[in-house]
């Protein structure tokens, strides 16, 4: 609510219907409009809801969506994304943040990952997965002293194993 009280629209991602309902009630009670996409929302309606959010008034307003809303939507009217639940993959986290960070965005985008209890551990796993994926894709890893090393990367070791066999 603080972001919207500052006059800014916001995007919130959560997977649970009860959490969506709780957030919706709090936002509406504070007097702000809410646009919601659920997993059961069909493709045409998703686009209509996203367009309404993009061009809607008054500002501020809130968009709430689950994983089903993380791809294919442009929500550049907001420059704040809040991730309440943890996705299992780095790609899903990036997709959620990227709903606001797209062509047409004129502001810096801030993504907040709320942490409570085990979320800190899950965030660490997501970051580790992303680092492993980057290492595989680029063939580079960072050594303990912070220097880049292509020769010791997982990708390079895998290639050497294939060609030396």
């Amino acid at each position: 609510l603080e972001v919207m009280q500052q006059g800014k629209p916001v995007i919130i991602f959560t997977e649970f219907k009860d959490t969506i309902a709780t957030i919706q009630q709090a936002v509406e009670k504070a007097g702000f409009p809410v646009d919601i996409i659920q997993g059961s929302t069909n493709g045409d309606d998703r686009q209509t809801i996203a367009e309404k959010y993009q061009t809607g008034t008054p500002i501020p307003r809130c968009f709430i969506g689950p994983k089903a809303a993380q791809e294919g939507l442009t929500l550049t009217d907001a420059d704040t994304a809040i991730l309440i639940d943890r996705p299992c993959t780095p790609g899903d986290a990036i997709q959620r943040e990227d709903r606001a960070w797209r062509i047409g965005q004129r502001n810096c985008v801030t993504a907040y990952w709320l942490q409570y209890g085990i979320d800190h551990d899950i965030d660490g796993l997501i970051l580790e997965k992303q680092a492993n994926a980057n290492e595989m894709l680029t063939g580079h890893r960072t050594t303990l002293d912070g220097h880049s090393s292509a020769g010791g990367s997982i990708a390079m070791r895998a290639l050497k194993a294939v060609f030396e066999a």
Side-chain angles (χ1 to χ4, degrees):
L1 292 175
E2 282 183 41
V3 172
M4 294 183 349
Q5 289 168 344
Q6 295 171 10
K8 300 168 104 179
V10 67
I11 303 167
I12 299 174
F13 283 98
T14 183
E15 291 304 311
F16 303 103
K17 290 180 182 180
D18 290 347
T19 305
I20 290 172
T22 300
I23 294 169
Q24 179 182 10
Q25 289 172 351
V27 170
E28 288 175 344
K29 184 177 180 181
F32 301 114
V34 179
D35 294 304
I36 299 174
I37 290 180
Q38 299 275 8
S40 61
T41 308
N42 73 44
D44 291 338
D45 289 342
R46 287 173 202 261
Q47 194 58 43
T48 300
I49 291 168
E51 288 171 7
K52 177 180 172 254
Y53 177 81
Q54 278 291 96
T55 60
T57 54
I59 295 176
R61 60 192 166 283
C62 180
F63 176 90
I64 305 172
K67 180 177 180 170
Q70 79 182 20
E71 295 178 0
L73 299 177
T74 298
L75 302 170
T76 55
D77 197 44
D79 60 10
T80 302
I82 300 171
L83 286 76
I84 294 179
D85 308 315
R86 294 299 176 269
C88 293
T89 65
D92 284 346
I94 291 167
Q95 282 291 335
R96 292 171 190 200
E97 293 173 352
D98 282 354
R99 294 312 88 219
W101 187 250
R102 296 175 67 80
I103 294 173
Q105 178 56 265
R106 295 178 301 263
N107 300 309
C108 292
V109 174
T110 303
Y112 295 97
W113 289 34
L114 303 183
Q115 288 186 326
Y116 181 78
I118 196 163
D119 291 335
H120 186 271
D121 295 332
I122 294 171
D123 290 348
L125 290 172
I126 291 170
L127 292 172
E128 188 176 325
K129 283 182 179 182
Q130 184 64 55
N132 290 339
N134 290 344
E135 184 177 336
M136 286 298 295
L137 293 172
T138 64
H140 292 85
R141 69 179 173 100
T142 303
T143 61
L144 290 176
D145 61 0
H147 295 92
S148 180
S149 169
S153 73
I154 293 171
M156 292 304 290
R157 290 191 308 261
L159 285 173
K160 286 178 185 176
V162 168
F163 290 110
E164 290 175 1

